Amino acid sequence: MLDTATSEDDTNLLVAIVDTNPLAWQQSATAKIPLSLDDAIRQILLFFNAHMALKHDNKVAAIASHIGHCKFLYPVTDAETHRRQANPSKIAKDANAYPNFKDVNDDIIESLRSLMADTDTPQKNLNDGTSMISGALSMALCYINRITNQDDLGRIKPRILVISVSPDSPYQYISIMNAVFSAQKMSIPIDVCKLYGGEVAFLQQASHITGGVYLDVENPQALLQYLLFSFLPERYARNYICLPNKEQVDFRAACFCHKRIIDIGYVCSVCLSIFCSWSPVCSTCRTKFAFRALPPLAGKGRPAISRTASPAPSTAASPGSSSPMSTA
């Protein structure tokens, strides 16, 4: 689908969500083709530099999706900037490095060090072991909304890139889909680069709904090559090139009752909540469903009664009905 709202003179804003879940990266060390977080960050920083080198006014932002919380890696807050200026790090100065690239790389590395040194993660989040992708998407959309509102000419074209190594978290299904539909309304594509963790149904849906690119990396050690060839082209250039995408999208959903990913479930006709088992009362909107039993079949000594009957009058307490349907 052509993106006619873009131009070759537009400024491109790339907001990258990097999955920094240490538990997932520890499991990736035992994979057939291992890749450490340090090596991945080095390649991601080179990708950021390439994005900024395409055009002088291209912008980049990075958000870490950690266990139980998320944090901006770049840009940093003013308070954090003052703190770093008062306590300069031991990162070596390089006179041959381009200042813009050097500043972005140093800020991201310093933010990652601070993130990994933080041990205040609640125990329940450690037991769950999932990354806060939903929170990172919300932060990315809020940041994009603030930047685009400051652009009076409307020349900034944003997009989101998710670099994921964690599996789906059914507990985040509702918040993830809310963020996805918000991105669709704002015409913000969500690209997904999946390194480890198997197939992720929610991120597949996010990429499909927003018109982004979904790529399952076969060789994680060549991450930079995948990033440059599949995710570096801007939104205007994508109108003229053929990018990889997912042919079959997993449209399964997570039930609202047990937070499990299901194929077939029951949908409330009032609030559209999904449940894995039938219930006479919707636990989300508290709607009570009214049903009429089918009349008995014709038998010996009994006249045939038509099964077609007028529906029972609906009341304020029972405005809807529940029906099984496939979430696909």
Side-chain angles (χ1 to χ4, degrees):
M1 181 176 62
L2 293 179
D3 191 353
T4 57
T6 60
S7 171
E8 58 182 348
D9 297 328
D10 290 335
T11 299
N12 296 280
L13 171 61
L14 172 65
V15 181
I17 298 176
V18 183
D19 191 345
T20 58
N21 186 342
L23 300 179
W25 282 105
Q26 185 178 8
Q27 294 177 358
S28 67
T30 61
K32 183 178 180 181
I33 305 178
L35 177 68
S36 64
L37 178 59
D38 292 341
D39 293 337
I41 292 299
R42 293 190 188 97
Q43 300 186 51
I44 292 172
L45 291 179
L46 290 175
F47 170 69
F48 289 165
N49 295 344
H51 169 75
M52 292 185 293
L54 285 180
K55 193 174 294 184
H56 71 281
D57 53 356
N58 277 4
K59 304 179 184 299
V60 66
I63 303 174
S65 175
H66 210 60
I67 298 181
H69 68 285
C70 43
K71 175 185 176 181
F72 262 101
L73 301 178
Y74 181 85
V76 296
T77 61
D78 294 337
E80 184 68 16
T81 302
H82 295 327
R83 185 191 68 81
R84 294 180 183 180
Q85 292 176 352
N87 302 292
S89 62
K90 298 181 180 180
I91 299 178
K93 303 297 182 180
D94 188 359
N96 297 321
Y98 183 54
N100 288 356
F101 296 171
K102 183 68 174 174
D103 293 341
V104 172
N105 295 350
D106 292 349
D107 284 345
I108 291 178
I109 293 175
E110 192 66 24
S111 299
L112 278 172
R113 288 177 178 174
S114 175
L115 179 66
M116 293 303 176
D118 185 8
T119 59
D120 295 335
T121 303
Q123 185 64 34
K124 63 178 182 179
N125 293 325
L126 288 176
N127 295 335
D128 186 25
T130 57
S131 302
M132 190 57 65
I133 293 293
S134 59
L137 286 173
S138 300
M139 291 178 63
L141 291 174
C142 292
Y143 177 77
I144 290 174
N145 183 67
R146 178 166 64 87
I147 295 299
T148 53
N149 286 338
Q150 297 173 357
D151 178 27
D152 296 332
L153 299 178
R155 305 303 297 270
I156 296 180
K157 301 303 178 184
R159 56 191 174 101
I160 298 175
L161 170 62
V162 181
I163 302 176
S164 174
V165 296
S166 301
D168 276 329
S169 175
Y171 290 91
Q172 301 182 46
Y173 171 72
I174 300 176
S175 52
I176 287 178
M177 296 311 297
N178 287 339
V180 169
F181 289 122
S182 298
Q184 181 191 33
K185 186 176 182 180
M186 298 169 64
S187 300
I188 301 174
I190 298 178
D191 301 330
V192 179
C193 179
K194 184 61 179 175
L195 292 177
Y196 298 104
E199 298 291 341
V200 279
F202 303 156
L203 291 181
Q204 287 184 27
Q205 297 175 31
S207 175
H208 176 78
I209 292 173
T210 60
V213 176
Y214 182 93
L215 180 63
D216 195 349
V217 176
E218 297 180 359
N219 182 8
Q221 292 183 353
L223 173 62
L224 179 60
Q225 180 178 351
Y226 287 97
L227 293 176
L228 292 177
F229 280 88
S230 300
F231 302 104
L232 184 60
E234 58 188 18
R235 290 174 54 178
Y236 176 77
R238 294 184 180 189
N239 295 328
Y240 306 100
I241 59 179
C242 182
L243 294 174
N245 214 329
K246 196 73 174 178
E247 295 182 358
Q248 295 182 351
V249 181
D250 189 352
F251 285 107
R252 290 182 299 169
C255 65
F256 288 29
C257 46
H258 300 94
K259 308 300 181 183
R260 295 181 303 195
I261 299 179
I262 58 176
D263 296 316
I264 298 177
Y266 295 84
V267 179
C268 174
S269 59
V270 177
C271 66
L272 302 181
S273 298
I274 304 172
F275 304 97
C276 57
S277 58
W278 179 84
S279 176
V281 179
C282 175
S283 60
T284 302
C285 63
R286 312 307 300 178
T287 298
K288 297 180 180 179
F289 304 111
F291 295 91
R292 285 187 64 179
L294 292 175
L297 296 174
K300 294 182 178 180
R302 290 181 296 179
I305 301 178
S306 173
R307 286 180 176 268
T308 305
S310 59
S314 60
T315 61
S318 58
S321 61
S322 177
S323 61
M325 66 169 290
S326 171
T327 59

